[in-house]
Amino acid sequence: MTRPRKQVLDHGQLLKRQKVLADFGEFALRSDDLDAILFEACRLVGDAVETQRSKVLEIHEGGKKLRVRAAIGWQPDIVGLELDMDDYSSETYSIRTGEPVITQDITREARFRIPMFMKEAGVAALANVPIFLPANNRAYGLLQVDDVEPRDFGEEDTQFLRTYATILGPVIDRLHKVQALQATTERFSIVVEKARDYAIFVADAQDRIVDWHKGAEKVFGWTAEEAAGMSCSELFTPEDRTRGEDRNEIETARREGSAPDVRWHLRKDGSRVFVDGSTVCLRNPDGSVRGFLKVGQDVTERRRTEQRLYESEALQRSLIAGVPQLVWRARSLGHRIWSSPQWERFTGQRNEDSAGMGWLDVIHPEDRDLVMAAWRDAEAKGGLDCENRIRRASDGEYIWHHSRSLPATGLEFEWLGTCTDVQQLKELQGRQEVMLAELQHRTRNIVAVIRSLSLKTIESSMTLDDFAEAFSRRLAAVARVQSLLSRLGEDQRVTFDELLEAELAAHVGGKEKIMLDGPRGIRLRSRAIQTFALALHELATNAVKYGALASPRGCLTIRWRLKNEGGGAPALFLEWVETGVENMPSDDAPPRGSGYGRELIERALPYQLKANTTYEIGADGVRCTILAPIAIDGGKE
């Protein structure tokens, strides 16, 4: 016999249910543990409707299963139990219609099939209420309350359960987002921990360290436990702290959003490390300062090399100044009174021709004002020190010289000076600047590529193992390109056949199933190598895993040639054709693998290289074409 329920609850029951809603809301705000929240939700709702039994079921396997996520009043082993979502299930019906489903007496239930485990547990009546996530109104599962006696769940029961499920949905949604954020943070931490050459750490609003990564430990020497709570000022050298550089940096970041941090710092053992980095101000949504993110690279060796080079140049200048080359004597403001035979041999000027201001005739016209300005400042500075170009008589070329002079001892208005040939030094400095600019350019490009690879790999990875495997393979492809580039001499380029052979060798042991057809020696632009290599890597990886190189009857044909249609810039045309692949998906089916390779070919190549690309999944394999501009011999990239 069905246990009757009053259609109108008395005041005490209403207060009890209101208290249940309030208690659940407070508990949900205090906890970030989804399982704990769901168990508490089951306990409270069972108490509120006086069934003492309830459970939360979660949709699994893309809507094919319902799994018991939490339960109260049941044996513990019920958690994890899975139910089929079929057309004869009251649970499925409730989720699909979005409405509560009530069974007053399961012995009289003719609409739905009741799971056997519920019958065996003595369930006589039940109520199903669907739970929806508010972000996209997607069904999460349902709340189910059970009674061991037949029961008439009244309208007020039903509406209370609907209200309860409506509150539960946003709570679950929030916890899902928290868990997703935690997972993203964990993946980010893994990437950061790999960057051991970079000191990455976070300080609070008072500039005290709160987050210290492995790279920071390697650069500075303190462990995370030792660094926690330490003032960032302790990383500055005593002289910088005396000048207030530590506070200036923080105030600049606070005021402008970021501040450069390029200076010597102290390590735990008292030694010094030169860091090239920056400090970024972190703010709360209301604009208040939350803390500071500090990122810096250990460039101590580079700095010491530059310092040694500087000291070497200073020593060289000192030594050259002591060795007479183009020697002369002058009065104030450069009035020449004598020029050595070396001056005459180099410039062709006789002593009498260079007298007075005659020596200016062999100074490059663009340098004359600079030289005269140096002379005007010489007495106040206590010496003459300038660089200028002097015409060489043998070929008329202007050669850079370093002019130095000091007042001669005992002769107040007479200067003894030398001009030292520094032409080669100037040329070396120019080449050094070009090489440093190229190194910085390549470094920025590689960091950008690795950052993009990590983000794309994170987006396409379901698990940390997936991420680690895919990211490792793609880093290996980047490394292969850098190996090819590192072996190039000046004006050399990587050729397409070299790049292709390196990529194939990394994926396959033999080439029995591969046909290559194309000329050797097609030179590629250096800035295009990285993206091109990643595209070949993704194509080869897909072929080995799922395509022609994974099928017994599969065959891979790679053709390439140089095109120069319409008299425009030369371009490389590549055809990648796979045949004999079994069980190929249709072109509109979800791609096997990460899908990153296709995105790279269809979006990144056209954007970065101005390439025209196609990517088709045929009946028996993939067909891809790439038409991309290449380097021109003797031209600039």
Side-chain angles (χ1 to χ4, degrees), residues 324-398:
Q325 291 194 18
L326 308 184
V327 186
W328 44 264
R329 290 163 54 198
R331 302 287 188 189
S332 296
L333 297 179
H335 284 78
R336 185 75 58 85
I337 58 176
W338 174 79
S339 296
S340 70
Q342 294 96 322
W343 177 274
E344 182 174 346
R345 286 195 297 270
F346 186 84
T347 65
Q349 269 192 338
R350 295 175 301 175
N351 185 45
E352 56 268 29
D353 295 330
S354 65
M357 304 304 295
W359 59 274
L360 277 175
D361 291 342
V362 296
I363 303 299
H364 196 288
E366 295 178 0
D367 298 341
R368 291 170 187 171
D369 288 343
L370 180 147
V371 173
M372 293 309 301
W375 269 111
R376 286 191 293 270
D377 295 339
E379 288 189 16
K381 292 181 177 180
L384 175 73
D385 192 333
C386 68
E387 291 184 348
N388 54 271
R389 289 163 287 184
I390 302 175
R391 187 179 64 227
R392 186 168 54 195
S394 61
D395 55 10
E397 291 290 328
Y398 284 93

Side-chain angles (χ1 to χ4, degrees), residues 598 600-603 605-606 611-615 624-627:
R598 185 164 187 173
L600 180 72
I601 292 168
E602 294 184 333
R603 298 180 63 182
L605 286 177
N612 294 319
T613 66
T614 65
Y615 190 100
C624 173
T625 66
I626 300 173
L627 179 65

